[in-house]
Amino acid sequence: MIHLEKIDRHNWRQATFVTTDPEHKCPLDEEWLTSAAFSIVQSVYEPEWQSRLIMDDDAIIGFVFYGWWNTKDAPLLCRYMIDIDHQGKGLGKRALPVVVNEMMEEYKVNRIYLTLEAKNERAVHLYTQFGFNPTGETDEDEEIYVYEKAN
């Protein structure tokens, strides 16, 4: 029987991928990460995840999505992006310490994880330059990196 069902934390992902595109291309995926739109919806229905704008004074320059990663019992910097209009200005490098420090303060930890595709050379360079190190592990075909703040 056909019926209607409320969208909730158990089905919101499937709801966001409903499409009329015969090729089933997902307009919500960026080249290297899931879109801010998808992330915002995810944080509504999965409150353990946080969506935040990255600001430079009054200007929106980017977006970050993070939360608690049960796999490692630690925070995961899941998505980090600088808006295309603000790339190439060093803002990603300037904003990353702000993001990491806020996460460490919020979760009262000295260790943060992230995952990324090895082919994303710009991201690998940014994160390793900051101090994230590969663990040698993978999660969903992405390499796991960890940052540990010295005490």
Side-chain angles (χ1 to χ4, degrees):
M1 178 163 85
I2 296 175
H3 69 281
L4 300 179
E5 189 170 317
K6 287 184 178 179
I7 297 172
D8 62 20
R9 73 176 281 122
H10 303 289
N11 64 11
W12 71 267
R13 287 178 189 250
Q14 295 87 346
T16 61
F17 287 105
V18 171
T19 182
T20 59
D21 183 352
E23 295 181 28
H24 294 282
K25 290 184 179 179
C26 179
L28 297 177
D29 278 335
E30 305 284 342
E31 181 177 7
W32 296 111
L33 68 156
T34 303
S35 74
F38 185 91
S39 300
I40 292 164
V41 172
Q42 184 175 0
S43 65
V44 168
Y45 291 108
E46 295 179 6
E48 63 272 21
W49 294 103
Q50 307 292 319
S51 292
R52 299 283 188 270
L53 289 171
I54 301 170
M55 306 290 293
D56 187 15
D57 293 327
D58 292 334
I60 296 171
I61 62 164
F63 178 82
V64 64
F65 178 83
Y66 61 86
W68 193 258
W69 194 21
N70 291 329
T71 301
K72 292 291 186 183
D73 196 31
L76 176 69
L77 174 53
C78 193
R79 300 171 193 137
Y80 176 73
M81 68 176 85
I82 300 299
D83 184 80
I84 190 69
D85 293 337
H86 297 284
Q87 290 181 10
K89 301 175 185 176
L91 294 171
K93 187 175 180 179
R94 286 182 37 216
L96 187 57
V98 174
V99 170
V100 168
N101 288 337
E102 187 165 318
M103 289 176 65
M104 287 186 164
E105 285 181 28
E106 181 174 339
Y107 294 106
K108 310 282 190 263
V109 298
N110 290 321
R111 179 185 53 174
I112 292 176
Y113 288 90
L114 62 81
T115 65
L116 58 91
E117 293 184 36
K119 291 185 263 181
N120 188 348
E121 294 173 2
R122 290 178 68 189
V124 169
H125 177 74
L126 173 70
Y127 293 126
T128 56
Q129 187 178 37
F130 181 78
F132 279 91
N133 296 301
T135 65
E137 302 167 288
T138 60
D139 180 65
E140 297 182 10
D141 297 325
E142 292 188 341
E143 295 182 11
I144 299 173
Y145 285 72
V146 64
Y147 173 82
E148 296 189 65
K149 185 177 180 180
N151 290 336

